[in-house]
Amino acid sequence: LDSLVYETGRSTTHISQAVAFMTEHIEARFPWLLDERSLSSFAPHFEQFAAKFRAKGMPMDDLIAFIDGKLWAVCKPGRFQRVLYSGHKRVHGCKTQGVVFPNGIQPYPYGPCHGSTHDSTILRDSKLLRVMHDVCRGGQYEWPGAPGGLGKDFRLFGDSAYPVSFFLWHMFKGVMSRAQQLFNADMRWRIAAEWGFGKICNLWPYLDYRKKQKVLLSPVGLHLKVGNVLTNMHTCLYGSIVSHTFKMDPPALSEYMCGGPYYCNR
């Protein structure tokens, strides 16, 4: 904040208050960018997403996005250390679930969850598979352009920590056949999920600085969700490594902010 004092003509206290106000404003003013509507609004483009992945030689005809979990390290809290401690990473933290489309947009930033929570548990709590079911086959989360669903099942792809369902596949593990080994090799582009988290860290390094992420003293979860939205806004304006890799332009900023073309009259 000290580097902004001269440019803004405000004290560090005022700048800090302005940042806090804007993060709360984004959550209150644009809730559809933080919940399942941020994913279902892209339903008209699912076939285009699948075509971009097929062009990269992936052995899935109906893949639309990659999914992964991210542990954000936080300062050791004075309370609730057990639920925030991740035995796998051996650090205290909060976990979020991330989904990335081939156009670089990361919809539905679900979280934060306890650092000790498994990725499959976060998937269940987020009801992401229910959202995919309703978008593809019709239901509560369908998009207005297709009341009965899309008429076709589309799928996500994650690592072996996730369960298998009609709408989610994962990497093979253990003793694998030759075909399974080739499948895992062809799905190497799932690293795009990590690219999405990496862009958030590069744009907002404060979120990745554990000594400043103090649970119970600052709104860590709000900062993580708003950081995801701001990163999507940056992608709409300048693109990202994901959109360049899969050669797919992100949506216009105005279209993203209003929740897609089918939510402009909100």
Side-chain angles (χ1 to χ4, degrees):
L1 297 179
D2 293 336
S3 60
L4 297 176
V5 171
Y6 177 78
E7 297 181 11
T8 61
R10 295 291 188 270
S11 65
T12 57
T13 301
H14 290 161
I15 298 175
S16 180
Q17 292 174 348
V19 171
F21 171 81
M22 286 305 302
T23 54
E24 295 174 359
H25 171 73
I26 291 175
E27 180 189 38
R29 178 63 179 83
F30 305 99
W32 53 85
L33 300 180
L34 301 171
D35 57 24
E36 67 280 349
R37 289 172 290 181
S38 61
L39 186 144
S40 61
S41 63
F42 283 92
H45 304 289
F46 279 4
E47 185 59 43
Q48 300 175 28
F49 295 163
K52 291 298 181 180
F53 284 128
R54 289 195 298 267
K56 280 292 184 179
M58 296 187 187
M60 293 179 62
D61 295 335
D62 45 15
L63 175 65
I64 62 167
F66 295 109
I67 181 175
D68 201 359
K70 167 70 173 178
L71 178 68
W72 302 86
V74 300
C75 185
K76 184 178 180 180
R79 293 184 296 168
F80 309 116
Q81 297 181 12
R82 182 180 298 273
V83 295
L84 291 177
Y85 184 75
S86 171
H88 178 64
K89 300 292 185 179
R90 297 184 178 181
V91 67
H92 293 87
C94 297
K95 297 190 74 172
T96 59
Q97 178 178 269
V99 180
V100 59
F101 289 139
N103 61 2
I105 296 296
Q106 304 173 68
Y108 198 9
Y110 184 79
C113 301
H114 298 153
S116 58
T117 308
H118 194 270
D119 288 349
S120 60
T121 303
I122 299 177
L123 175 69
R124 181 200 63 196
D125 295 341
S126 68
K127 297 182 173 61
L128 179 59
L129 297 184
R130 168 56 61 179
V131 175
M132 289 293 298
H133 172 277
D134 292 348
V135 170
C136 296
R137 301 183 182 180
Q140 177 182 357
Y141 302 108
E142 63 191 11
W143 58 284
L150 299 176
K152 178 181 178 181
D153 290 346
F154 292 93
R155 293 174 174 81
L156 309 174
F157 188 84
D159 57 29
S160 56
Y162 290 101
V164 175
S165 76
F166 286 107
F167 306 99
L168 175 63
W169 285 12
H170 65 59
M171 301 283 288
F172 292 104
K173 62 179 181 179
V175 179
M176 297 179 291
S177 64
R178 178 59 177 170
Q180 293 172 337
Q181 295 176 0
L182 292 176
F183 178 87
N184 285 354
D186 290 337
M187 296 303 295
R188 64 187 183 279
W189 291 111
R190 70 184 183 90
I191 192 64
E194 298 294 342
W195 292 346
F197 289 126
K199 182 173 182 178
I200 297 177
C201 295
N202 290 335
L203 289 179
W204 321 107
Y206 172 80
L207 300 178
D208 202 34
Y209 184 52
R210 60 183 296 183
K211 293 184 178 181
K212 287 294 185 180
Q213 301 301 313
K214 301 179 180 179
V215 178
L216 304 179
L217 295 179
S218 60
V220 176
L222 178 60
H223 291 165
L224 294 176
K225 293 191 294 185
V226 172
N228 184 288
V229 172
L230 295 178
T231 302
N232 286 336
M233 295 171 62
H234 185 277
T235 298
C236 292
L237 294 173
Y238 306 105
S240 68
I241 184 175
V242 178
S243 62
H244 294 322
T245 298
F246 294 101
K247 299 180 180 179
M248 188 172 192
D249 294 331
L253 180 59
S254 59
E255 180 178 332
Y256 169 73
M257 295 303 294
C258 70
Y262 301 95
Y263 293 94
C264 290
N265 297 325
R266 188 183 305 276

